[in-house]
Amino acid sequence: MRNKGISALVCAGLTAGAAVLATAGTATAQDGAAQAQTRAGSGRADAPARATAEDVRERLEKIPGMTVVSVTDKEGYPFYTLTYRQPVDHQRPHKASFTQRLTLWHKSTERPTVLYTTGYGIASGTTAVTRLLDANQVSLEHRYFLQSRPQGAAGDDWTKMTVQQEAADEHRVTQALRGIERGKWIGTGASKGGMTATYHERFYPEDLDAVVAFVAPNDKNNRDDSGYERFFGSVGTKECRAALNAVQREMLVRRDALLPKFEADAKAGGQTFEETLGTTDRAYEFAVLDQVWNFWQSGSIDNCATVPDAKKATDDELYSWSKGHGLSVYYDEDLGVNSSGPYYRQAATQLGWADLKFKHLKGVRHYPDIYQPNSVLPAAMRGTYDNATIADVDRWVKTRGQRMMFIYGENDPWSAEKFTPSHRDSYRYEVPGANHGASIAKLPEPQQSQVIAVIKRWANVK
Protein backbone atom coordinates (compact mmCIF):
# COMPACT_ATOMS: atom_id res chain seq x y z
CA MET A 1 0.00 0.00 0.00
CA ARG A 2 2.82 2.34 -0.03
CA ASN A 3 6.00 3.84 -1.13
CA LYS A 4 7.41 4.96 2.16
CA GLY A 5 7.30 8.56 1.33
CA ILE A 6 4.09 7.35 -0.11
CA SER A 7 2.44 4.02 -0.04
CA ALA A 8 1.47 1.21 -2.23
CA LEU A 9 -1.97 1.71 -0.86
CA VAL A 10 -1.47 5.19 -1.95
CA CYS A 11 1.34 6.20 -4.33
CA ALA A 12 4.79 5.02 -5.83
CA GLY A 13 6.91 1.94 -7.63
CA LEU A 14 9.62 -0.32 -9.72
CA THR A 15 11.08 -3.14 -12.24
CA ALA A 16 11.59 -4.87 -15.68
CA GLY A 17 9.84 -5.96 -18.89
CA ALA A 18 9.29 -5.47 -22.60
CA ALA A 19 9.93 -2.33 -24.63
CA VAL A 20 6.66 -0.48 -24.94
CA LEU A 21 6.19 3.11 -26.03
CA ALA A 22 2.72 4.59 -25.89
CA THR A 23 2.47 7.94 -27.64
CA ALA A 24 -0.68 10.02 -27.69
CA GLY A 25 -0.98 13.15 -29.77
CA THR A 26 -0.89 13.75 -33.49
CA ALA A 27 -0.36 17.49 -33.60
CA THR A 28 2.60 18.53 -35.71
CA ALA A 29 5.39 20.67 -34.38
CA GLN A 30 3.96 23.60 -36.35
CA ASP A 31 0.51 23.02 -34.85
CA GLY A 32 2.02 22.91 -31.38
CA ALA A 33 3.93 26.12 -31.95
CA ALA A 34 0.80 27.84 -33.21
CA GLN A 35 -1.20 26.65 -30.20
CA ALA A 36 1.51 27.91 -27.90
CA GLN A 37 0.93 31.46 -29.08
CA THR A 38 -2.54 31.38 -27.53
CA ARG A 39 -1.23 30.23 -24.16
CA ALA A 40 -0.78 32.69 -21.30
CA GLY A 41 2.66 34.22 -21.12
CA SER A 42 3.71 33.68 -24.73
CA GLY A 43 5.45 36.32 -26.78
CA ARG A 44 6.96 38.25 -23.89
CA ALA A 45 8.74 40.97 -25.86
CA ASP A 46 8.37 43.25 -22.85
CA ALA A 47 10.53 41.02 -20.66
CA PRO A 48 13.25 43.10 -19.06
CA ALA A 49 16.90 42.34 -19.55
CA ARG A 50 18.80 40.58 -16.80
CA ALA A 51 17.88 41.51 -13.26
CA THR A 52 20.47 41.48 -10.49
CA ALA A 53 20.01 39.41 -7.34
CA GLU A 54 19.23 42.65 -5.49
CA ASP A 55 16.62 43.60 -8.09
CA VAL A 56 14.92 40.22 -7.79
CA ARG A 57 14.92 40.34 -4.00
CA GLU A 58 13.38 43.81 -4.07
CA ARG A 59 10.66 42.62 -6.44
CA LEU A 60 9.95 39.57 -4.30
CA GLU A 61 9.61 41.70 -1.18
CA LYS A 62 7.08 43.93 -2.95
CA ILE A 63 4.73 40.99 -3.61
CA PRO A 64 1.91 41.18 -1.02
CA GLY A 65 2.17 38.22 1.36
CA MET A 66 5.65 37.17 0.17
CA THR A 67 8.54 37.04 2.66
CA VAL A 68 12.19 36.48 1.75
CA VAL A 69 13.47 34.21 4.51
CA SER A 70 17.02 33.85 3.20
CA VAL A 71 19.22 34.11 0.11
CA THR A 72 22.13 31.76 -0.57
CA ASP A 73 24.25 30.89 -3.57
CA LYS A 74 23.55 27.82 -5.68
CA GLU A 75 25.96 27.17 -8.55
CA GLY A 76 26.59 30.86 -8.98
CA TYR A 77 22.95 31.96 -8.91
CA PRO A 78 20.82 33.30 -6.04
CA PHE A 79 18.63 30.77 -4.25
CA TYR A 80 15.75 32.36 -2.35
CA THR A 81 13.90 30.65 0.48
CA LEU A 82 10.45 32.19 0.72
CA THR A 83 7.09 31.99 2.42
CA TYR A 84 3.83 33.13 0.90
CA ARG A 85 0.60 33.81 2.77
CA GLN A 86 -2.28 31.75 1.41
CA PRO A 87 -5.98 31.51 2.32
CA VAL A 88 -6.87 28.29 4.07
CA ASP A 89 -10.04 28.33 1.98
CA HIS A 90 -9.71 30.05 -1.39
CA GLN A 91 -13.48 30.43 -1.55
CA ARG A 92 -13.30 32.50 1.64
CA PRO A 93 -9.97 34.29 1.19
CA HIS A 94 -10.54 36.89 3.90
CA LYS A 95 -10.80 34.31 6.68
CA ALA A 96 -7.99 32.11 8.06
CA SER A 97 -4.63 32.00 6.31
CA PHE A 98 -1.33 30.11 6.51
CA THR A 99 2.20 30.48 5.18
CA GLN A 100 3.33 28.17 2.41
CA ARG A 101 7.01 27.45 1.91
CA LEU A 102 8.68 27.77 -1.47
CA THR A 103 12.07 28.40 -3.02
CA LEU A 104 13.19 30.23 -6.12
CA TRP A 105 16.45 29.43 -7.88
CA HIS A 106 16.81 32.44 -10.15
CA LYS A 107 19.08 32.59 -13.17
CA SER A 108 17.51 35.09 -15.54
CA THR A 109 14.14 36.70 -16.14
CA GLU A 110 14.55 35.66 -19.78
CA ARG A 111 14.91 31.94 -19.14
CA PRO A 112 12.09 29.42 -18.69
CA THR A 113 10.85 28.68 -15.18
CA VAL A 114 10.11 25.18 -13.95
CA LEU A 115 7.41 24.90 -11.26
CA TYR A 116 8.38 21.79 -9.32
CA THR A 117 6.24 20.07 -6.71
CA THR A 118 6.75 16.76 -4.95
CA GLY A 119 3.17 16.76 -3.69
CA TYR A 120 4.63 16.56 -0.18
CA GLY A 121 7.29 18.70 1.49
CA ILE A 122 9.44 21.20 -0.33
CA ALA A 123 11.87 19.77 -2.88
CA SER A 124 15.55 19.99 -2.01
CA GLY A 125 16.96 19.07 -5.39
CA THR A 126 16.87 20.20 -9.00
CA THR A 127 14.67 18.45 -11.54
CA ALA A 128 15.90 16.95 -14.79
CA VAL A 129 13.59 19.34 -16.64
CA THR A 130 15.29 22.31 -14.98
CA ARG A 131 18.70 20.97 -15.97
CA LEU A 132 17.57 20.26 -19.50
CA LEU A 133 16.30 23.80 -20.00
CA ASP A 134 18.92 25.57 -17.84
CA ALA A 135 15.86 27.13 -16.26
CA ASN A 136 14.86 28.99 -13.14
CA GLN A 137 13.16 26.69 -10.64
CA VAL A 138 10.32 27.36 -8.22
CA SER A 139 9.78 24.58 -5.67
CA LEU A 140 6.59 24.57 -3.64
CA GLU A 141 5.57 22.68 -0.51
CA HIS A 142 2.08 21.17 -0.62
CA ARG A 143 -0.48 22.59 1.82
CA TYR A 144 -0.87 20.71 5.12
CA PHE A 145 2.59 19.14 4.80
CA LEU A 146 5.41 19.92 7.22
CA GLN A 147 5.78 23.70 7.66
CA SER A 148 2.99 24.61 5.23
CA ARG A 149 0.19 23.61 7.57
CA PRO A 150 -2.43 25.99 8.95
CA GLN A 151 -2.24 26.54 12.67
CA GLY A 152 -4.87 26.07 15.35
CA ALA A 153 -8.38 24.97 14.46
CA ALA A 154 -7.78 25.60 10.75
CA GLY A 155 -4.99 23.03 10.78
CA ASP A 156 -7.38 20.42 12.13
CA ASP A 157 -9.93 21.11 9.39
CA TRP A 158 -8.99 18.48 6.85
CA THR A 159 -11.84 19.46 4.52
CA LYS A 160 -9.50 22.13 3.11
CA MET A 161 -6.88 19.52 2.17
CA THR A 162 -8.14 19.09 -1.40
CA VAL A 163 -6.87 18.95 -4.95
CA GLN A 164 -8.72 22.16 -5.78
CA GLN A 165 -7.36 24.13 -2.82
CA GLU A 166 -3.74 23.15 -3.61
CA ALA A 167 -4.26 24.02 -7.28
CA ALA A 168 -5.45 27.45 -6.14
CA ASP A 169 -2.31 27.80 -3.98
CA GLU A 170 -0.12 27.10 -7.00
CA HIS A 171 -2.17 29.46 -9.16
CA ARG A 172 -1.55 32.36 -6.77
CA VAL A 173 2.17 31.57 -6.58
CA THR A 174 2.45 31.37 -10.35
CA GLN A 175 0.62 34.64 -10.85
CA ALA A 176 2.73 36.37 -8.20
CA LEU A 177 6.06 35.25 -9.66
CA ARG A 178 5.23 35.67 -13.36
CA GLY A 179 5.86 39.37 -12.91
CA ILE A 180 9.50 38.49 -12.25
CA GLU A 181 10.09 35.31 -14.25
CA ARG A 182 8.77 36.29 -17.67
CA GLY A 183 9.78 33.29 -19.80
CA LYS A 184 7.80 30.11 -20.42
CA TRP A 185 6.60 28.18 -17.38
CA ILE A 186 6.74 24.36 -17.26
CA GLY A 187 5.07 22.38 -14.46
CA THR A 188 6.66 19.12 -13.39
CA GLY A 189 6.82 16.53 -10.62
CA ALA A 190 7.05 12.78 -10.08
CA SER A 191 4.49 10.41 -8.57
CA LYS A 192 2.23 12.56 -6.38
CA GLY A 193 4.13 15.58 -7.66
CA GLY A 194 3.19 14.64 -11.21
CA MET A 195 -0.42 14.29 -10.12
CA THR A 196 -0.30 17.70 -8.43
CA ALA A 197 1.14 19.37 -11.55
CA THR A 198 -1.63 17.77 -13.63
CA TYR A 199 -4.35 18.98 -11.24
CA HIS A 200 -2.92 22.51 -11.38
CA GLU A 201 -3.08 22.41 -15.17
CA ARG A 202 -6.67 21.18 -15.19
CA PHE A 203 -8.05 23.91 -12.92
CA TYR A 204 -5.81 26.78 -14.14
CA PRO A 205 -4.88 25.91 -17.74
CA GLU A 206 -3.62 29.43 -18.48
CA ASP A 207 -0.97 29.39 -15.73
CA LEU A 208 1.57 27.06 -17.31
CA ASP A 209 2.85 26.71 -20.86
CA ALA A 210 3.26 22.92 -20.52
CA VAL A 211 3.36 20.05 -18.01
CA VAL A 212 5.81 17.14 -17.82
CA ALA A 213 4.56 14.55 -15.28
CA PHE A 214 6.56 11.48 -14.28
CA VAL A 215 4.95 8.22 -13.03
CA ALA A 216 1.73 10.03 -12.10
CA PRO A 217 -0.99 7.56 -11.00
CA ASN A 218 -4.53 8.18 -12.19
CA ASP A 219 -7.10 6.27 -10.15
CA LYS A 220 -10.09 7.71 -11.97
CA ASN A 221 -12.43 4.96 -10.78
CA ASN A 222 -11.52 3.54 -7.39
CA ARG A 223 -14.16 0.84 -7.73
CA ASP A 224 -12.32 -0.67 -10.69
CA ASP A 225 -8.76 -1.70 -9.84
CA SER A 226 -8.53 -4.30 -12.58
CA GLY A 227 -5.56 -2.43 -14.06
CA TYR A 228 -3.53 -3.20 -10.95
CA GLU A 229 -4.66 -6.83 -10.98
CA ARG A 230 -3.55 -7.18 -14.61
CA PHE A 231 -0.21 -5.61 -13.74
CA PHE A 232 0.54 -8.10 -10.96
CA GLY A 233 -0.56 -10.94 -13.24
CA SER A 234 1.94 -10.01 -15.95
CA VAL A 235 4.89 -8.09 -14.51
CA GLY A 236 8.31 -9.75 -14.71
CA THR A 237 8.30 -13.50 -15.27
CA LYS A 238 5.83 -16.19 -14.26
CA GLU A 239 8.48 -17.79 -12.05
CA CYS A 240 9.27 -14.53 -10.24
CA ARG A 241 5.61 -13.71 -9.66
CA ALA A 242 4.98 -17.19 -8.23
CA ALA A 243 8.01 -16.97 -5.93
CA LEU A 244 7.00 -13.56 -4.60
CA ASN A 245 3.42 -14.64 -3.98
CA ALA A 246 4.64 -17.74 -2.18
CA VAL A 247 6.89 -15.70 0.13
CA GLN A 248 4.07 -13.25 0.86
CA ARG A 249 1.70 -16.09 1.72
CA GLU A 250 4.29 -17.86 3.87
CA MET A 251 4.82 -14.67 5.86
CA LEU A 252 1.18 -14.94 6.97
CA VAL A 253 1.19 -18.73 7.32
CA ARG A 254 4.09 -18.38 9.79
CA ARG A 255 2.54 -15.39 11.54
CA ASP A 256 2.92 -16.92 15.01
CA ALA A 257 6.65 -17.40 14.51
CA LEU A 258 7.39 -14.15 12.70
CA LEU A 259 5.17 -11.71 14.59
CA PRO A 260 7.50 -11.70 17.64
CA LYS A 261 10.38 -10.64 15.35
CA PHE A 262 8.22 -7.84 13.98
CA GLU A 263 7.26 -6.76 17.51
CA ALA A 264 10.90 -6.78 18.63
CA ASP A 265 11.88 -4.57 15.69
CA ALA A 266 9.02 -2.19 16.44
CA LYS A 267 10.02 -1.94 20.10
CA ALA A 268 13.67 -1.31 19.18
CA GLY A 269 12.61 1.41 16.75
CA GLY A 270 10.16 3.03 19.16
CA GLN A 271 7.28 2.29 16.79
CA THR A 272 3.73 2.16 18.15
CA PHE A 273 0.40 1.41 16.45
CA GLU A 274 -2.30 2.42 18.92
CA GLU A 275 -3.44 5.60 17.13
CA THR A 276 -3.56 4.13 13.63
CA LEU A 277 -3.59 0.39 12.90
CA GLY A 278 -4.37 -0.49 16.51
CA THR A 279 -2.35 -3.65 17.16
CA THR A 280 0.97 -5.17 16.12
CA ASP A 281 -0.92 -8.06 14.50
CA ARG A 282 -2.82 -5.66 12.24
CA ALA A 283 0.35 -3.70 11.53
CA TYR A 284 2.20 -6.91 10.64
CA GLU A 285 -0.49 -8.02 8.18
CA PHE A 286 -0.58 -4.59 6.58
CA ALA A 287 3.20 -4.63 6.11
CA VAL A 288 3.03 -8.05 4.47
CA LEU A 289 0.24 -6.95 2.12
CA ASP A 290 2.49 -4.18 0.82
CA GLN A 291 5.44 -6.46 0.19
CA VAL A 292 5.06 -7.49 -3.47
CA TRP A 293 3.98 -3.98 -4.49
CA ASN A 294 7.09 -2.48 -2.95
CA PHE A 295 9.34 -5.12 -4.50
CA TRP A 296 8.39 -3.93 -7.98
CA GLN A 297 8.02 -0.27 -7.07
CA SER A 298 11.64 0.18 -6.14
CA GLY A 299 13.38 -2.92 -7.43
CA SER A 300 13.79 -4.65 -10.75
CA ILE A 301 13.55 -8.03 -12.39
CA ASP A 302 17.20 -8.52 -11.50
CA ASN A 303 16.12 -8.84 -7.86
CA CYS A 304 14.04 -11.92 -8.67
CA ALA A 305 17.14 -14.12 -8.27
CA THR A 306 17.24 -13.20 -4.56
CA VAL A 307 13.72 -14.41 -3.73
CA PRO A 308 14.01 -17.36 -1.33
CA ASP A 309 12.19 -20.66 -1.64
CA ALA A 310 9.23 -19.95 0.64
CA LYS A 311 8.88 -23.54 1.87
CA LYS A 312 12.58 -24.20 2.44
CA ALA A 313 13.61 -20.86 3.98
CA THR A 314 14.01 -20.72 7.74
CA ASP A 315 11.99 -18.19 9.75
CA ASP A 316 15.06 -15.97 10.04
CA GLU A 317 15.83 -16.20 6.31
CA LEU A 318 12.24 -15.45 5.34
CA TYR A 319 11.89 -12.49 7.68
CA SER A 320 15.33 -11.05 6.93
CA TRP A 321 14.79 -11.18 3.16
CA SER A 322 11.35 -9.62 3.47
CA LYS A 323 12.66 -6.73 5.57
CA GLY A 324 15.07 -5.88 2.78
CA HIS A 325 12.60 -6.41 -0.07
CA GLY A 326 9.31 -4.67 0.52
CA LEU A 327 8.12 -5.25 4.08
CA SER A 328 7.07 -1.73 5.03
CA VAL A 329 5.99 -0.76 8.53
CA TYR A 330 3.18 1.76 9.11
CA TYR A 331 3.34 3.19 12.61
CA ASP A 332 1.83 6.05 14.59
CA GLU A 333 4.82 8.38 14.52
CA ASP A 334 5.05 8.17 10.72
CA LEU A 335 1.36 8.66 10.03
CA GLY A 336 0.38 11.79 11.91
CA VAL A 337 -0.20 15.37 10.80
CA ASN A 338 3.51 16.17 10.59
CA SER A 339 4.56 13.20 8.50
CA SER A 340 2.84 11.12 5.80
CA GLY A 341 -0.66 11.34 7.28
CA PRO A 342 -1.78 14.20 4.99
CA TYR A 343 -1.07 12.02 1.96
CA TYR A 344 -3.24 9.19 3.25
CA ARG A 345 -5.97 11.68 4.05
CA GLN A 346 -5.95 12.76 0.39
CA ALA A 347 -5.92 9.15 -0.78
CA ALA A 348 -8.86 8.30 1.47
CA THR A 349 -10.97 11.21 0.22
CA GLN A 350 -9.96 12.05 -3.37
CA LEU A 351 -6.90 10.32 -4.85
CA GLY A 352 -8.00 6.73 -4.33
CA TRP A 353 -5.92 3.58 -3.71
CA ALA A 354 -5.23 0.13 -5.10
CA ASP A 355 -7.81 -2.16 -3.52
CA LEU A 356 -6.11 -5.43 -4.42
CA LYS A 357 -7.89 -8.78 -4.10
CA PHE A 358 -4.88 -10.86 -2.91
CA LYS A 359 -6.49 -14.10 -4.10
CA HIS A 360 -3.30 -16.04 -3.32
CA LEU A 361 -3.66 -15.06 0.35
CA LYS A 362 -7.11 -16.58 0.82
CA GLY A 363 -7.44 -18.25 4.21
CA VAL A 364 -4.40 -16.65 5.85
CA ARG A 365 -5.57 -13.05 6.26
CA HIS A 366 -7.11 -11.95 9.54
CA TYR A 367 -8.35 -8.52 8.43
CA PRO A 368 -9.93 -8.66 4.95
CA ASP A 369 -10.86 -4.95 4.82
CA ILE A 370 -7.66 -3.48 6.22
CA TYR A 371 -5.92 -2.50 2.96
CA GLN A 372 -7.17 1.08 2.65
CA PRO A 373 -5.86 4.55 3.63
CA ASN A 374 -8.23 5.10 6.55
CA SER A 375 -6.67 2.06 8.26
CA VAL A 376 -3.37 3.88 8.71
CA LEU A 377 -4.79 7.24 9.78
CA PRO A 378 -5.57 8.62 13.24
CA ALA A 379 -9.35 8.80 13.74
CA ALA A 380 -9.48 12.60 13.37
CA MET A 381 -7.87 12.45 9.91
CA ARG A 382 -10.07 9.78 8.34
CA GLY A 383 -12.48 10.73 5.59
CA THR A 384 -15.04 9.59 3.04
CA TYR A 385 -14.01 8.90 -0.55
CA ASP A 386 -15.46 10.83 -3.51
CA ASN A 387 -13.96 10.29 -6.96
CA ALA A 388 -15.82 13.14 -8.73
CA THR A 389 -12.77 15.44 -8.90
CA ILE A 390 -10.30 12.83 -10.16
CA ALA A 391 -12.79 11.54 -12.73
CA ASP A 392 -13.26 15.12 -13.94
CA VAL A 393 -9.48 15.62 -14.25
CA ASP A 394 -9.17 12.36 -16.21
CA ARG A 395 -11.83 13.46 -18.71
CA TRP A 396 -10.31 16.93 -19.08
CA VAL A 397 -6.77 15.63 -19.67
CA LYS A 398 -7.84 13.22 -22.41
CA THR A 399 -10.14 15.68 -24.19
CA ARG A 400 -8.96 19.25 -23.52
CA GLY A 401 -5.44 19.13 -22.11
CA GLN A 402 -2.73 20.80 -24.20
CA ARG A 403 1.05 20.46 -24.12
CA MET A 404 1.06 17.70 -21.54
CA MET A 405 3.57 14.85 -21.34
CA PHE A 406 3.36 11.74 -19.16
CA ILE A 407 6.30 9.38 -18.62
CA TYR A 408 5.70 6.00 -16.95
CA GLY A 409 7.69 2.91 -15.96
CA GLU A 410 6.80 -0.43 -17.51
CA ASN A 411 7.30 -2.35 -14.27
CA ASP A 412 5.99 0.29 -11.89
CA PRO A 413 2.76 -0.67 -10.08
CA TRP A 414 1.77 3.00 -9.91
CA SER A 415 1.95 3.16 -13.68
CA ALA A 416 -0.77 0.51 -14.01
CA GLU A 417 -3.41 3.26 -14.06
CA LYS A 418 -2.21 6.05 -16.32
CA PHE A 419 -3.36 9.38 -17.63
CA THR A 420 -4.32 9.30 -21.30
CA PRO A 421 -3.36 12.62 -22.93
CA SER A 422 -5.36 14.31 -25.65
CA HIS A 423 -4.26 14.80 -29.26
CA ARG A 424 -3.52 18.45 -28.53
CA ASP A 425 0.28 18.42 -28.74
CA SER A 426 0.35 15.96 -25.83
CA TYR A 427 2.20 12.67 -25.37
CA ARG A 428 2.70 9.56 -23.24
CA TYR A 429 5.83 7.40 -23.01
CA GLU A 430 6.65 4.21 -21.18
CA VAL A 431 10.22 3.40 -20.13
CA PRO A 432 11.02 -0.29 -20.77
CA GLY A 433 11.86 -2.22 -17.61
CA ALA A 434 11.67 0.87 -15.41
CA ASN A 435 10.14 1.11 -11.96
CA HIS A 436 8.84 4.17 -10.09
CA GLY A 437 12.10 5.91 -10.94
CA ALA A 438 11.31 6.14 -14.66
CA SER A 439 12.98 9.14 -16.26
CA ILE A 440 13.80 10.78 -19.58
CA ALA A 441 17.38 9.52 -19.31
CA LYS A 442 16.13 5.92 -19.23
CA LEU A 443 14.10 6.20 -22.42
CA PRO A 444 15.60 4.46 -25.46
CA GLU A 445 16.26 6.27 -28.70
CA PRO A 446 14.62 7.74 -30.67
CA GLN A 447 12.05 8.41 -27.93
CA GLN A 448 14.55 10.18 -25.66
CA SER A 449 15.49 12.67 -28.37
CA GLN A 450 11.82 13.19 -29.24
CA VAL A 451 10.96 14.00 -25.62
CA ILE A 452 13.84 16.45 -25.27
CA ALA A 453 12.94 18.20 -28.52
CA VAL A 454 9.28 18.61 -27.49
CA ILE A 455 10.09 19.99 -24.04
CA LYS A 456 12.59 22.46 -25.51
CA ARG A 457 10.03 23.56 -28.09
CA TRP A 458 7.44 24.12 -25.39
CA ALA A 459 9.95 26.17 -23.38
CA ASN A 460 11.10 28.13 -26.44
CA VAL A 461 14.67 26.94 -25.91
CA LYS A 462 16.73 26.56 -29.09
Side-chain angles (χ1 to χ4, degrees), residues 67 100 335 368 378 381 390:
T67 299
Q100 190 168 34
L335 294 164
M381 294 180 68
I390 305 307

Side-chain angles (χ1 to χ4, degrees), residues 251 254-268 284 314-320 323 327:
M251 289 288 287
R254 301 193 204 179
R255 185 192 302 251
D256 289 346
L258 299 180
L259 182 60
K261 298 179 185 295
F262 180 85
E263 291 174 333
D265 283 346
K267 183 177 180 180
Y284 176 77
T314 66
D315 292 346
D316 285 340
E317 289 171 341
L318 193 66
Y319 186 72
S320 178
K323 281 176 60 178
L327 190 73

Side-chain angles (χ1 to χ4, degrees), residues 211-267:
V211 166
V212 181
F214 296 89
V215 293
N218 178 34
D219 197 350
K220 60 184 180 294
N221 181 2
N222 202 54
R223 294 180 178 177
D224 179 10
D225 283 328
S226 56
Y228 294 115
E229 298 292 347
R230 287 193 297 272
F231 172 87
F232 285 108
S234 61
V235 64
T237 65
K238 180 179 179 180
E239 293 75 17
C240 188
R241 295 193 300 272
L244 287 168
N245 285 348
V247 165
Q248 190 177 35
R249 182 177 178 84
E250 196 69 13
M251 289 288 287
L252 295 179
V253 169
R254 301 193 204 179
R255 185 192 302 251
D256 289 346
L258 299 180
L259 182 60
K261 298 179 185 295
F262 180 85
E263 291 174 333
D265 283 346
K267 183 177 180 180

Side-chain angles (χ1 to χ4, degrees), residues 88-329:
V88 172
D89 183 353
H90 287 274
Q91 295 184 342
R92 296 173 177 80
H94 301 298
K95 294 203 171 188
S97 63
F98 72 102
T99 55
Q100 190 168 34
R101 287 199 306 165
L102 65 151
T103 60
L104 167 62
W105 187 27
H106 173 80
K107 296 179 180 178
S108 169
T109 57
E110 302 169 3
R111 295 187 188 182
T113 297
V114 172
L115 178 61
Y116 174 36
T117 175
T118 67
Y120 302 96
I122 199 164
S124 59
T126 305
T127 74
V129 177
T130 300
R131 296 289 184 188
L132 173 66
L133 301 175
D134 193 20
N136 308 309
Q137 179 174 296
V138 175
S139 300
L140 186 67
E141 187 164 81
H142 198 294
R143 62 165 45 211
Y144 283 76
F145 282 90
L146 302 179
Q147 295 181 39
S148 297
R149 182 169 174 251
Q151 299 301 305
D156 296 326
D157 181 7
W158 293 100
T159 64
K160 304 304 182 291
M161 174 61 159
T162 67
V163 163
Q164 294 92 329
Q165 295 283 359
E166 172 62 19
D169 291 342
E170 297 185 16
H171 170 65
R172 292 188 74 245
V173 168
T174 303
Q175 293 299 303
L177 295 179
R178 264 193 177 275
I180 298 172
E181 309 299 5
R182 304 292 296 276
K184 300 288 187 179
W185 277 61
I186 310 294
T188 195
S191 192
K192 186 169 180 288
M195 299 160 74
T196 304
T198 301
Y199 303 150
H200 179 184
E201 176 71 0
R202 186 269 172 266
F203 292 107
Y204 299 95
E206 299 304 318
D207 276 0
L208 305 171
D209 295 288
V211 166
V212 181
F214 296 89
V215 293
N218 178 34
D219 197 350
K220 60 184 180 294
N221 181 2
N222 202 54
R223 294 180 178 177
D224 179 10
D225 283 328
S226 56
Y228 294 115
E229 298 292 347
R230 287 193 297 272
F231 172 87
F232 285 108
S234 61
V235 64
T237 65
K238 180 179 179 180
E239 293 75 17
C240 188
R241 295 193 300 272
L244 287 168
N245 285 348
V247 165
Q248 190 177 35
R249 182 177 178 84
E250 196 69 13
M251 289 288 287
L252 295 179
V253 169
R254 301 193 204 179
R255 185 192 302 251
D256 289 346
L258 299 180
L259 182 60
K261 298 179 185 295
F262 180 85
E263 291 174 333
D265 283 346
K267 183 177 180 180
Q271 299 167 346
T272 60
F273 310 101
E274 286 79 8
E275 297 298 319
T276 52
L277 282 157
T279 67
T280 53
D281 191 54
R282 286 171 61 87
Y284 176 77
E285 181 165 314
F286 203 103
V288 172
L289 294 180
D290 243 9
Q291 195 168 331
V292 175
W293 182 294
N294 290 340
F295 177 91
W296 292 114
Q297 174 177 294
S298 37
S300 79
I301 199 167
D302 295 336
N303 301 124
C304 290
T306 71
V307 183
D309 185 316
K311 295 298 184 183
K312 294 180 180 179
T314 66
D315 292 346
D316 285 340
E317 289 171 341
L318 193 66
Y319 186 72
S320 178
W321 183 88
S322 296
K323 281 176 60 178
H325 296 84
L327 190 73
S328 56
V329 184

Side-chain angles (χ1 to χ4, degrees), residues 47 54 86 148 163 330 399 417 460:
E54 293 75 18
Q86 297 274 23
S148 297
V163 163
Y330 294 74
T399 59
E417 291 195 346
N460 198 24

Side-chain angles (χ1 to χ4, degrees), residues 1-3 6-11 290 293-294 330 354 371 414:
M1 159 178 183
R2 77 150 54 308
N3 108 14
I6 248 194
S7 137
L9 177 61
V10 194
C11 189
D290 243 9
W293 182 294
N294 290 340
Y330 294 74
Y371 202 64
W414 289 112

